[in-house]
Amino acid sequence: YLKKRGLNEETIEEFRLGYAPDSFEELYPVLLKKGISKNVLLRSGLAAQRNIGEDKIYDKFRGRLMFPIFDYMGKVCGFGGRALKADQEPKYLNSSENPIYSKSKVLYGFYHSKKFIKEEDKAIVVEGYFDVLLPYQNGVKNIVASSGTAFTSDQARLIKRLTENVVTAFDSDDAGFEATKRTYFILAGEGLNMKTVVGLSAKDPADYVLENREGFRNLINEAKNFVSFFIEKLVAGVDTTKIDGRNKVISEVLPVYKEMPAITKDFYIRELAAKLNVQEQFV
């Protein structure tokens, strides 16, 4: 499956990708023999029980492609497991929250990419595991993903240790745009600058890289400042010669302006006024 998705042996080994056998009793008996208690196994999320207080436990991850999730120091703190059968639910199963793993406080790929984020003074943020792995394999190594959750302030602060510049490359559908907008507010609240990739043509970064290796790097280099991108998207979706259209654009963009320092705000007020063909003081 991994080779079909375009990954090579080197990437598979570096990110320690693997497989959880399709069995209820493959992992936990081994760990019990190593002296790990049932309570620890249950809290770790590697094992589960059918009913609270029931003595019997079973492996939680079964028949899944496994993505180890590393903390800042490179220790495995959790897992994501992808279904490999069509009828398997959910498609992605994550480790449960526990004392060493909180999905809102880790970024997938961060341990591997932190050196490159610092070197390039820029972090690329994507949504999925493969959206990290394929670009990384193809030379775009300053890349991370939110780990099975919407992007959070804790994740923004992780990035801020290394750079103040972020480029988002989420899916280009409506859900991807809403995720991009939410991420902007979080990053702006932490004082980070954000650009966004335009031109993925309804593909996610993983698929785009497979088709056009250099093209993805070019999209990153040509990423637009999010506010300019947002204004263009809003203006394209309404008739700005009519008052209703202008009011819709202004009402949606004003919350974005609230996060800006005065000089930046002045710049975007001018840009918005020009797009709407109104005088700046009215904006």
Side-chain angles (χ1 to χ4, degrees):
Y1 177 83
L2 290 171
K3 286 176 178 169
K4 187 175 76 175
R5 290 295 302 264
L7 293 178
N8 61 30
E9 287 292 340
E10 187 179 346
T11 303
I12 291 167
E13 287 195 20
E14 183 173 354
F15 284 84
R16 293 166 65 182
L17 308 179
Y19 175 68
D22 196 6
S23 164
F24 284 88
E25 298 183 315
E26 191 78 24
L27 176 65
Y28 85 80
V30 176
L31 296 177
L32 286 175
K33 283 178 185 174
K34 287 180 178 287
I36 297 168
S37 72
K38 283 184 182 179
N39 182 50
V40 169
L41 287 175
L42 290 168
R43 291 181 74 194
S44 74
L46 293 172
Q49 56 192 162
R50 298 197 186 282
N51 300 300
I52 294 172
E54 193 174 90
D55 187 49
K56 186 167 175 55
I57 63 174
Y58 60 89
D59 289 349
K60 181 177 175 180
F61 294 98
R62 303 181 306 280
R64 289 180 178 270
L65 171 64
M66 297 298 289
F67 300 87
I69 298 164
F70 300 83
D71 67 14
Y72 187 81
M73 301 305 294
K75 293 182 178 179
V76 175
C77 60
F79 293 91
R82 189 199 189 284
L84 292 174
K85 296 177 182 176
D87 59 350
Q88 220 171 341
E89 293 292 340
K91 183 178 177 181
Y92 280 96
L93 182 66
N94 293 305
S95 288
S96 48
E97 301 274 315
N98 62 57
I100 64 163
Y101 174 69
S102 174
K103 62 185 178 182
S104 66
K105 294 181 179 178
V106 296
L107 285 162
Y108 183 71
F110 190 68
Y111 171 70
H112 297 84
S113 67
K114 61 184 181 179
K115 168 188 166 189
F116 304 102
I117 291 171
K118 197 162 189 176
E119 284 176 2
E120 304 232 5
D121 192 23
K122 178 168 59 186
I124 299 149
V125 177
V126 294
E127 291 182 285
Y129 299 121
F130 284 102
D131 296 331
V132 168
L133 295 167
L134 266 300
Y136 186 94
Q137 178 176 285
N138 286 282
V140 180
K141 294 183 181 289
N142 54 327
I143 191 163
V144 295
S146 54
S147 185
T149 181
F151 193 80
T152 67
S153 296
D154 286 321
Q155 292 169 336
R157 286 191 284 272
L158 263 183
I159 291 171
K160 196 173 180 179
R161 294 184 188 184
L162 305 176
T163 183
E164 292 185 350
N165 303 304
V166 174
V167 176
T168 60
F170 297 161
D171 291 354
S172 51
D173 57 12
D174 289 342
F177 176 68
E178 287 303 314
T180 304
K181 192 162 67 170
R182 284 195 305 271
T183 302
Y184 168 79
F185 282 113
I186 290 163
L187 291 170
E190 296 297 330
L192 295 165
N193 310 310
M194 178 176 139
K195 292 184 176 181
T196 193
V197 164
V198 181
L200 284 172
S201 306
K203 295 183 177 67
D204 59 31
D207 291 334
Y208 192 94
V209 167
L210 281 178
E211 291 183 13
N212 192 341
R213 177 176 169 176
E214 284 305 312
F216 185 64
R217 189 186 295 278
N218 293 336
L219 288 182
I220 291 164
N221 292 335
E222 294 162 6
K224 287 190 175 181
N225 185 290
F226 172 73
V227 182
S228 296
F229 164 69
F230 187 34
I231 291 170
E232 284 181 17
K233 187 173 177 68
L234 289 173
V235 168
V238 299
D239 182 354
T240 57
T241 64
K242 295 181 178 174
I243 191 69
D244 287 351
R246 289 181 180 180
N247 283 342
K248 179 174 171 59
V249 172
I250 289 173
S251 65
E252 290 205 32
V253 87
L254 282 182
V256 174
Y257 282 46
K258 284 172 68 176
E259 301 293 335
M260 297 177 189
I263 291 175
T264 310
K265 195 178 296 183
D266 176 66
F267 177 88
Y268 287 114
I269 284 172
R270 291 168 190 266
E271 182 174 1
L272 181 60
K275 294 273 187 192
L276 297 179
N277 194 28
V278 299
Q279 294 178 44
E280 290 163 26
Q281 65 262 35
F282 296 128
V283 176

